[in-house]
Amino acid sequence: RHGEEHCVIQGIFSRMEKEENIYCGISRSKKKQFRRNKKDYQKLSEHIGLIPVVMISPADTELIHGGSEERRRFIDGVIAQYSKSYLENLIQYNRALTQRNRLLKDFAARRNFQPDLLEAWDEQLILYGTPVFEERVRFVEDLLPVFDAFYRRVSEDREQVSLHYESPLHGTDFRTGLQEAMERDRVLQFSGFGIHKDDLGMQLGEHRLKKIGSQGQQKTFLVALKLAEFEFIRKITGISPLLLLDDIFDKFDGKRVRQIIGLVAEHGFGQIFISDTSASRMEEILREIPAAHRMYHIDSQGVLKNKDVNHG
């Protein structure tokens, strides 16, 4: 509803047998308000992980076709939902990285390079970056078998897939890498070594998924990855995330959609929200699945027009 003065999104959640009232209000004339049980959050980071969510949508293709920052954001987004220390280390690392890059640009502008000033920020990168690297390594290693099991189920065991964490820290000590990159950093005015250059490798057989995977294979890979994310968070936190399936028919035929919805319905995924542009198509699939569900219709203005009773 473009052009309105104010909007609100609010929800009441059941978490660990307690009720949580989450409110977010955005106004043209006031600062955004973000509250938990009628108390303002001091920092957005206080909310991250409270109500874990896993979303599967067509935009997930950026994880394959986008830059490495997209895949790092995926890793960071999952780990931050269960580790406050990881999130804090990542925030501090990014602050130090920003200051180091600013210093490199200042050196170039003043034509006065001072390695000792740079090394002070190197210590910060090492301090906060090392635990981030170690946690990412553990995460990918632990996620892989869960992901592999879901991929086999969704793909009907057609291909071999793998995930691997790519980082210059696998073969080089953090301090050594920063020292060896210092001259190049001085020229480029940017920090070229560190965990901000890491990536998540995605393989289909012996080849990169991005290079040889069909649209269907890539979508299957992403769905399996997100379902593995769900299972991983549930296992670590003891809380079942909300599962959001947005436009699940994108690049999937009806048979594969039935398979995916049936999988999440029978696998104890808890509360699931599915969006689709065809009510009749979704009703047909849901009739075949033995799970309680409710249909809602929202018009072009965002107004709930009707709702069905529970089925199943």
Side-chain angles (χ1 to χ4, degrees):
R1 303 185 66 177
H2 302 290
E4 298 289 344
E5 289 295 315
H6 189 76
C7 72
V8 167
I9 183 166
Q10 186 172 13
I12 297 174
F13 302 84
S14 176
R15 179 185 183 276
M16 307 292 281
E17 300 182 354
K18 289 180 60 178
E19 188 174 280
E20 298 282 356
N21 191 320
I22 307 299
Y23 170 96
C24 182
I26 303 173
S27 173
R28 291 179 181 272
S29 58
K30 297 179 182 178
K31 188 174 75 170
K32 182 187 296 184
Q33 295 177 309
F34 196 30
R35 299 171 181 160
R36 175 185 178 188
N37 299 326
K38 299 183 179 180
K39 293 182 179 180
D40 288 348
Y41 280 106
Q42 297 302 309
K43 298 184 296 183
L44 180 60
S45 60
E46 294 176 8
H47 180 72
I48 295 175
L50 180 74
I51 313 289
V53 173
V54 173
M55 181 173 179
I56 300 174
S57 81
D60 292 335
T61 55
E62 282 299 299
L63 280 171
I64 297 172
H65 299 288
S68 60
E69 65 274 9
E70 294 291 340
R71 292 177 286 279
R72 286 194 302 276
R73 190 177 296 119
F74 165 74
I75 294 173
D76 294 338
V78 178
I79 301 175
Q81 292 200 64
Y82 62 81
S83 175
K84 292 292 185 184
S85 61
Y86 179 88
L87 180 60
E88 186 59 32
N89 284 328
L90 186 63
I91 290 171
Q92 294 299 332
Y93 178 90
N94 287 331
R95 285 175 179 167
L97 180 65
T98 298
Q99 293 299 323
R100 190 179 193 272
N101 288 338
R102 185 173 297 156
L103 195 58
L104 286 167
K105 293 184 184 302
D106 288 345
F107 288 155
R110 293 186 277 110
R111 297 184 180 181
N112 179 23
F113 187 66
Q114 297 176 271
D116 55 328
L117 294 181
L118 210 59
E119 288 171 357
W121 289 113
D122 288 355
E123 294 301 322
Q124 295 291 299
L125 295 183
I126 295 167
L127 175 64
Y128 297 112
T130 300
V132 169
F133 166 74
E134 292 171 347
E135 186 60 45
R136 286 176 177 176
V137 170
R138 282 193 295 270
F139 165 71
V140 175
E141 288 177 349
D142 292 343
L143 184 71
L144 180 56
V146 185
F147 161 72
D148 185 62
F150 276 117
Y151 188 89
R152 289 175 181 275
R153 179 74 182 273
V154 177
S155 71
E156 299 177 331
D157 208 11
R158 290 178 182 170
E159 306 104 3
Q160 293 290 323
V161 292
S162 64
L163 297 168
H164 54 276
Y165 181 49
E166 301 173 351
S167 173
L169 270 71
H170 280 310
T172 306
D173 171 76
F174 213 141
R175 192 180 308 278
T176 301
L178 287 168
Q179 291 171 348
E180 291 177 348
M182 187 175 291
E183 181 57 27
R184 184 178 67 236
D185 291 351
R186 182 185 69 81
V187 174
L188 298 178
Q189 303 172 37
F190 179 81
S191 303
F193 183 90
I195 60 167
H196 57 287
K197 307 298 288 184
D198 295 351
D199 203 349
L200 180 64
M202 301 176 174
Q203 298 279 130
L204 183 64
E206 299 296 321
H207 305 279
R208 288 217 173 238
L209 177 68
K210 180 179 179 179
K211 296 291 185 183
I212 69 162
S214 66
Q215 285 191 342
Q217 287 171 324
Q218 292 180 5
K219 188 70 174 181
T220 299
F221 192 103
L222 291 170
V223 168
L225 184 63
K226 290 305 188 76
L227 295 182
E229 173 190 352
F230 180 102
E231 188 64 30
F232 189 88
I233 292 173
R234 178 167 63 178
K235 183 178 178 181
I236 292 289
T237 65
I239 300 173
S240 290
L242 295 174
L243 182 61
L244 314 180
L245 306 181
D246 178 30
D247 197 8
I248 193 67
F249 281 89
D250 178 67
K251 299 187 181 71
F252 275 146
D253 59 22
K255 177 184 176 183
R256 186 58 59 87
V257 171
R258 284 180 176 84
Q259 187 179 18
I260 293 169
I261 294 177
L263 172 63
V264 298
E266 73 183 44
H267 207 271
F269 276 82
Q271 191 170 23
I272 305 166
F273 291 86
I274 305 172
S275 68
D276 190 31
T277 55
S278 172
S280 60
R281 177 171 62 185
M282 187 55 60
E283 285 175 338
E284 181 183 346
I285 290 175
L286 291 174
R287 275 197 297 267
E288 301 173 9
I289 295 170
H293 60 271
R294 180 168 295 190
M295 296 282 292
Y296 297 88
H297 179 78
I298 300 174
D299 68 14
S300 59
Q301 296 298 309
V303 177
L304 186 70
K305 295 185 71 174
N306 58 58
K307 64 180 180 179
D308 287 344
V309 296
N310 281 309
H311 299 276

